[in-house]
Amino acid sequence: MISVQEAVNIIQSNLAKPEIIEVSFKEAVGKVLAEPISADRDFPPFDRVMMDGIAINYDRYNSGQSMFNVEATQLAGAPRLTLRQADNCLEVMTGAMLPKGVDTVIRYEDVTIVGNKAVVNDIEIFKGQNIHNQGQDIEKDHIIIKPSTLITPAEIGVITTVGKEKVKVYKPLKFAIISTGDELVPVEDEPKEYQIRQSNSHVFKSSLDQIGMDAQVFHIVDDKETLKGRIKDILEEFDALILSGGVSKGKSDFVPEVLEELGVTKHFHRVAQRPGKPFWFGTVKNKSVFALPGNPVSTFLCFNKYILPWLRKSYRLEEKIQLAQLEEDFSFKPDLTYFLQVKVNNEKGMLKATPVKGQGSGDLANLVLADGFIELPPDKYDFKAGELFPLIPYRRLD
Amino acid sequence: MISVQEAVNIIQSNLAKPEIIEVSFKEAVGKVLAEPISADRDFPPFDRVMMDGIAINYDRYNSGQSMFNVEATQLAGAPRLTLRQADNCLEVMTGAMLPKGVDTVIRYEDVTIVGNKAVVNDIEIFKGQNIHNQGQDIEKDHIIIKPSTLITPAEIGVITTVGKEKVKVYKPLKFAIISTGDELVPVEDEPKEYQIRQSNSHVFKSSLDQIGMDAQVFHIVDDKETLKGRIKDILEEFDALILSGGVSKGKSDFVPEVLEELGVTKHFHRVAQRPGKPFWFGTVKNKSVFALPGNPVSTFLCFNKYILPWLRKSYRLEEKIQLAQLEEDFSFKPDLTYFLQVKVNNEKGMLKATPVKGQGSGDLANLVLADGFIELPPDKYDFKAGELFPLIPYRRLD
């Protein structure tokens, strides 16, 4: 039996290597960028008017002139005008190019316009005010977004602004999600007294769908030869496998031996943790095989603690450790890392984790009351309110 | 000009009323539940074996018997067996029904099995151990998930377990996203010197796509009659409109007057904030019309500060206020609420917000460096490191 940290290290030294593909910016959100995004020109691309108002030649104003004849209007989206007579002004609109021959913009609120004459109110004017200068934000060819960035709507803003109609991103991995266990029936079936419905597969599938992975669900009966034949085919076709059930010491727990017979190298079986002790992990030809225990909470913990971070690292995303403060004393005796289900609140900026009381590791109802797990190390029995522990959130906290 | 809080109050007293529809559980993640989810039977549905091992009659053990003949094996997913002879035992598998005539499970680690005889090791045994009792987690008909819950993978676990093949959820709203401004060209075009590419619409569209809304993008030229005709048609067909551009005092800023001429009741125009001051909001026939300024950061702030919370409240989701601690002193003089772009780090459980220095409100590049905005109130000029302010995150912090 290995420790949680050893399990993390082993899993993360067997990363997937997603291919690079090109997609339209319209399908890019949620994907990870595989190229840098650079400025295709200066931003702003021209000296840009920042306020609706008039544009003048500051020197004229500074030498005492306060009334200016309006020559014309410079609209946004129109070619650049030129002031013909230095003591005149031009009306200018937000987003427009600053016309030639002017250098200062005074907003409408600070001028009085009657007919075609604009009189500057008695206020302070600075040379160059209300102009967003060419290249002030970013110069041409400067890298705005680095590769290995998760594309969110903010990145879409940049990608579209620089005209990247297609972007290189890492391709979704193909996951096979396999449940085993003869007690399981499909969601749409009425279970017999001794049966329960499949749920783990759908939890994985919805989690992977949400982050844009390509996941397919299978159920295989607890028959060793059937299991072996089906998994053999699945291993050919998929990039990664997530199994649930069949990894304990039971008579129908064929998963570990079937995987090894199929040439999957076992890296570990059993992790010093609760829930999720019987977790098995192996690889074959750069494909990772995660064989998780069957009970819903164990499986959910393993998915969030091991598989998602492995996936983020495979996609070269930076992993941020979140800590949360335990709100109540808690005891756990066995020499195992304990993953405690918690409700998380932001109290004056501090993340506070309150244990959600549960009955057993099979208790799904707790998962919907909690926001995540906190990780309590095995070298202590008593965990005190106020202590900090790593948080594995599985919902947004806002 | 109204305050930020007044703007929030007005917007949130004009909520959308999404219809209720039924979807497959396979499409339910990310949607908001519109019915309670109850237990269709007890959970566990039967006294459930929690460990692979043997099941005995505790009284026999307690009266001194430590060797038991194995009668048979109770597998998971098999009908319930009955112990025929009270001084025998049955092998039992995790997830199986507890057979009749036994009341205690001893795991394989704690017994020695030779042939068909199992000898209990010298350990402490408790009556009823390793059994997850029927109804222990949840009793039949108990509500496990309340309506108005965002469906995440954890909820999918419950929904599938109770056999809800179809669930009632709130229907996505139909959003029209409209950009105006003659300086804007499509992403795929090469802009002329005085033009820039459309980006706001794609930011909105990708944000709304991510949360499962139904959004369509339009661009309309700065011609009053064209604008009026197009918006009239759009108002017929969509539930909510988000416009960007055309709300300032410029000569081509026809949006507010066009909306009013089309019968949209103006609730406010201009909010005492930076960025985003020219924000206009109105309603017509229970449709909300958000007319935002054209510059990318203003628009992004307004979307995250006003539209997303309005949407969450329309979908009856609880709003959690997140606070973050300012990491550096910051000054802002005008009597406006200032939304400061910040990078957020979890430091010993505390959310710390470090200002991301920017050049101007049009600076898109900052958005990709920051994680959110903090809201600095208008009644102060100096904001000190260590003070707490509301956080509007636009990325996951983990």
Side-chain angles (χ1 to χ4, degrees):
Chain A
M1 200 152 67
I2 63 168
S3 73
V4 166
Q5 193 52 54
E6 285 168 320
V8 167
N9 294 347
I10 291 168
I11 290 170
Q12 298 207 350
S13 56
N14 287 282
L15 296 179
K17 294 181 178 53
E19 290 170 41
I20 293 173
I21 52 169
E22 245 187 1
V23 297
S24 157
F25 72 88
K26 292 175 187 173
E27 278 107 51
V29 80
K31 297 199 160 49
V32 178
L33 196 60
E35 62 173 334
I37 299 293
S38 314
D40 64 325
R41 51 181 179 159
D42 290 338
F43 285 96
F46 45 80
D47 290 338
R48 191 176 166 277
V49 172
M50 289 176 74
M51 289 281 176
D52 304 317
I54 62 164
I56 61 162
N57 183 334
Y58 181 79
D59 288 342
R60 304 303 300 209
Y61 171 81
N62 202 33
S63 62
Q65 184 184 336
S66 67
M67 196 183 80
F68 297 83
N69 285 325
V70 181
E71 271 186 11
T73 300
Q74 171 77 60
L75 295 176
R80 193 179 188 192
L81 299 179
T82 300
L83 187 73
R84 281 168 312 184
Q85 215 176 299
D87 58 357
N88 283 349
C89 72
L90 289 159
E91 282 190 71
V92 290
M93 299 300 125
T94 304
M97 293 187 84
L98 184 74
K100 281 180 203 156
V102 292
D103 57 16
T104 298
V105 172
I106 308 171
R107 54 183 195 157
Y108 278 135
E109 289 88 334
D110 297 332
V111 293
T112 308
I113 299 182
V114 180
N116 78 330
K117 293 190 192 310
V119 179
V120 180
N121 299 347
D122 185 17
I123 47 135
E124 211 176 353
I125 306 287
F126 302 96
K127 186 172 182 173
Q129 72 178 20
N130 296 326
I131 296 163
H132 197 181
N133 290 315
Q134 178 171 344
Q136 186 181 333
D137 293 345
I138 310 149
E139 290 181 359
K140 185 173 191 293
D141 297 330
H142 177 85
I143 291 174
I144 313 176
I145 316 178
K146 282 184 280 193
S148 307
T149 299
L150 181 67
I151 301 172
T152 73
E155 283 71 28
I156 294 292
V158 171
I159 288 168
T160 51
T161 297
V162 304
K164 287 285 290 182
E165 219 190 321
K166 287 186 174 285
V167 278
K168 291 198 173 77
V169 297
Y170 292 102
K171 190 178 170 182
L173 290 180
K174 279 180 73 178
F175 277 90
I177 298 169
I178 305 162
S179 59
T180 65
D182 285 348
E183 72 275 29
L184 300 178
V185 299
V187 176
E188 54 275 21
D189 285 8
E190 201 53 55
K192 294 201 178 72
E193 190 196 17
Y194 50 89
Q195 295 175 323
I196 55 172
R197 294 192 187 84
Q198 290 158 21
S199 65
N200 290 339
S201 296
H202 304 300
V203 172
F204 297 147
K205 165 85 174 139
S206 63
S207 295
L208 292 168
D209 282 355
Q210 261 195 327
I211 54 171
M213 293 294 126
D214 184 358
Q216 200 175 322
V217 167
F218 300 89
H219 180 72
I220 312 180
V221 293
D222 287 335
D223 170 78
K224 199 178 153 184
E225 285 316 305
T226 310
L227 199 61
K228 195 165 168 180
R230 297 288 304 279
I231 293 181
K232 186 169 188 292
D233 295 342
I234 289 169
L235 273 172
E236 291 296 314
E237 205 190 322
F238 289 84
D239 300 318
L241 273 62
I242 305 177
L243 295 100
S244 68
V247 291
S248 297
K249 294 182 185 293
K251 300 223 157 170
S252 311
D253 290 343
F254 306 120
V255 167
E257 68 187 272
V258 159
L259 290 170
E260 289 182 61
E261 287 174 21
L262 288 170
V264 182
T265 306
K266 177 179 101 171
H267 291 286
F268 61 75
H269 187 189
R270 295 162 74 78
V271 178
Q273 64 181 7
R274 183 174 301 166
K277 191 154 75 173
F279 179 18
W280 187 103
F281 174 71
T283 54
V284 59
K285 294 184 204 144
N286 200 34
K287 296 173 186 215
S288 290
V289 180
F290 301 90
L292 313 182
N295 103 50
V297 179
S298 305
T299 264
F300 193 66
L301 178 273
C302 289
F303 185 82
N304 284 282
K305 167 68 189 172
Y306 299 100
I307 301 181
L308 286 182
W310 166 83
L311 201 47
R312 285 196 276 260
K313 198 163 179 188
S314 294
Y315 277 82
R316 297 151 199 246
L317 291 174
E318 194 193 334
E319 186 75 5
K320 285 191 188 177
I321 302 288
Q322 295 258 71
L323 295 177
Q325 195 178 55
L326 186 60
E327 267 285 86
E328 295 170 9
D329 292 353
F330 185 82
S331 288
F332 179 74
K333 294 268 181 297
D335 281 340
L336 300 169
T337 296
Y338 188 69
F339 292 98
L340 176 64
Q341 293 181 48
V342 292
K343 182 103 200 126
V344 182
N345 289 300
N346 176 320
E347 226 180 275
K348 296 186 177 170
M350 179 67 94
L351 299 187
K352 305 257 189 178
T354 305
V356 172
K357 265 87 180 175
Q359 309 296 336
S361 63
D363 188 357
L364 257 173
N366 276 345
L367 288 181
V368 301
L369 299 176
D371 300 312
F373 297 89
I374 58 171
E375 183 173 338
L376 306 177
D379 53 353
K380 285 175 65 171
Y381 291 171
D382 292 313
F383 305 93
K384 297 291 180 194
E387 291 181 334
L388 292 166
F389 299 100
L391 173 68
I392 302 144
Y394 54 80
R395 300 175 192 279
R396 278 186 69 126
L397 304 176
D398 56 319
Chain B
M1 200 152 67
I2 62 166
S3 73
V4 166
Q5 193 51 55
E6 285 168 321
V8 168
N9 294 345
I10 292 169
I11 290 170
Q12 298 207 348
S13 57
N14 287 283
L15 297 178
K17 294 182 178 53
E19 290 171 40
I20 294 174
I21 52 169
E22 245 188 358
V23 297
S24 157
F25 72 88
K26 292 175 188 173
E27 277 106 53
V29 80
K31 295 197 163 48
V32 178
L33 197 60
E35 62 173 331
I37 299 293
S38 314
D40 64 326
R41 50 182 179 158
D42 289 337
F43 286 95
F46 45 81
D47 290 337
R48 192 175 163 278
V49 173
M50 288 175 75
M51 289 282 176
D52 303 317
I54 62 165
I56 60 162
N57 184 333
Y58 181 78
D59 287 343
R60 305 304 299 211
Y61 170 81
N62 202 33
S63 62
Q65 184 184 335
S66 68
M67 195 183 79
F68 296 83
N69 286 322
V70 180
E71 271 186 12
T73 300
Q74 171 77 59
L75 295 176
R80 193 179 189 192
L81 300 179
T82 300
L83 187 74
R84 281 167 312 184
Q85 216 177 297
D87 58 357
N88 283 350
C89 73
L90 288 159
E91 283 190 70
V92 289
M93 299 299 125
T94 304
M97 294 186 85
L98 184 73
K100 281 181 204 157
V102 293
D103 57 15
T104 298
V105 171
I106 308 171
R107 54 182 196 159
Y108 278 136
E109 289 89 333
D110 296 332
V111 291
T112 308
I113 299 183
V114 180
N116 79 330
K117 293 189 192 310
V119 178
V120 181
N121 299 346
D122 186 18
I123 48 137
E124 210 175 355
I125 306 287
F126 301 96
K127 186 171 182 175
Q129 73 178 20
N130 297 325
I131 296 163
H132 197 179
N133 289 315
Q134 178 173 344
Q136 186 181 332
D137 293 345
I138 310 149
E139 290 181 1
K140 184 172 191 295
D141 297 330
H142 177 86
I143 291 174
I144 313 177
I145 317 178
K146 282 184 280 193
S148 305
T149 299
L150 181 67
I151 300 172
T152 74
E155 282 72 28
I156 295 292
V158 171
I159 289 168
T160 51
T161 298
V162 303
K164 287 285 291 182
E165 219 191 322
K166 287 184 173 288
V167 277
K168 290 197 173 77
V169 297
Y170 291 103
K171 190 179 172 181
L173 290 180
K174 280 182 73 179
F175 277 89
I177 298 169
I178 305 162
S179 60
T180 65
D182 286 348
E183 73 276 29
L184 300 178
V185 299
V187 176
E188 53 276 18
D189 285 10
E190 201 53 54
K192 295 204 178 67
E193 191 195 16
Y194 51 88
Q195 295 175 323
I196 55 172
R197 293 191 187 86
Q198 289 159 20
S199 64
N200 289 340
S201 297
H202 304 300
V203 172
F204 297 148
K205 165 84 173 142
S206 62
S207 295
L208 292 169
D209 282 354
Q210 263 194 324
I211 53 171
M213 293 295 126
D214 182 359
Q216 199 175 321
V217 167
F218 301 88
H219 180 72
I220 312 180
V221 293
D222 288 335
D223 170 79
K224 198 178 153 183
E225 285 316 305
T226 310
L227 199 61
K228 195 164 166 179
R230 297 286 305 278
I231 293 181
K232 185 171 188 290
D233 295 342
I234 290 169
L235 273 171
E236 293 294 316
E237 206 191 320
F238 290 83
D239 300 318
L241 273 62
I242 305 177
L243 294 100
S244 68
V247 292
S248 297
K249 293 178 186 296
K251 299 220 158 172
S252 310
D253 291 341
F254 306 120
V255 167
E257 73 188 87
V258 159
L259 289 171
E260 289 182 60
E261 287 174 20
L262 288 170
V264 182
T265 306
K266 177 178 101 171
H267 292 285
F268 61 76
H269 188 190
R270 296 163 72 77
V271 178
Q273 63 181 9
R274 184 175 298 167
K277 191 153 74 174
F279 178 21
W280 187 102
F281 174 72
T283 53
V284 59
K285 293 183 206 145
N286 199 34
K287 297 174 186 214
S288 289
V289 180
F290 301 89
L292 313 182
N295 103 52
V297 180
S298 304
T299 263
F300 193 66
L301 179 271
C302 289
F303 185 81
N304 285 281
K305 167 68 189 172
Y306 299 100
I307 301 181
L308 286 183
W310 166 81
L311 201 46
R312 285 196 276 260
K313 198 163 179 187
S314 293
Y315 278 83
R316 295 151 201 246
L317 291 175
E318 195 193 332
E319 186 74 4
K320 283 191 190 177
I321 303 288
Q322 294 259 71
L323 295 177
Q325 195 178 55
L326 185 60
E327 266 287 87
E328 294 169 10
D329 291 353
F330 185 82
S331 286
F332 180 75
K333 295 270 180 295
D335 280 340
L336 300 170
T337 296
Y338 188 70
F339 291 97
L340 176 65
Q341 292 180 47
V342 292
K343 181 107 200 120
V344 182
N345 289 300
N346 174 320
E347 225 179 275
K348 297 188 178 170
M350 180 67 94
L351 299 187
K352 305 258 191 179
T354 306
V356 173
K357 265 87 181 174
Q359 309 297 336
S361 63
D363 189 356
L364 256 173
N366 276 345
L367 287 183
V368 300
L369 299 175
D371 301 313
F373 297 89
I374 58 171
E375 184 173 338
L376 306 178
D379 53 353
K380 286 176 64 172
Y381 290 171
D382 292 312
F383 305 94
K384 297 292 179 194
E387 291 180 334
L388 291 166
F389 299 101
L391 172 68
I392 302 144
Y394 55 80
R395 299 176 192 280
R396 277 186 68 126
L397 304 176
D398 55 319

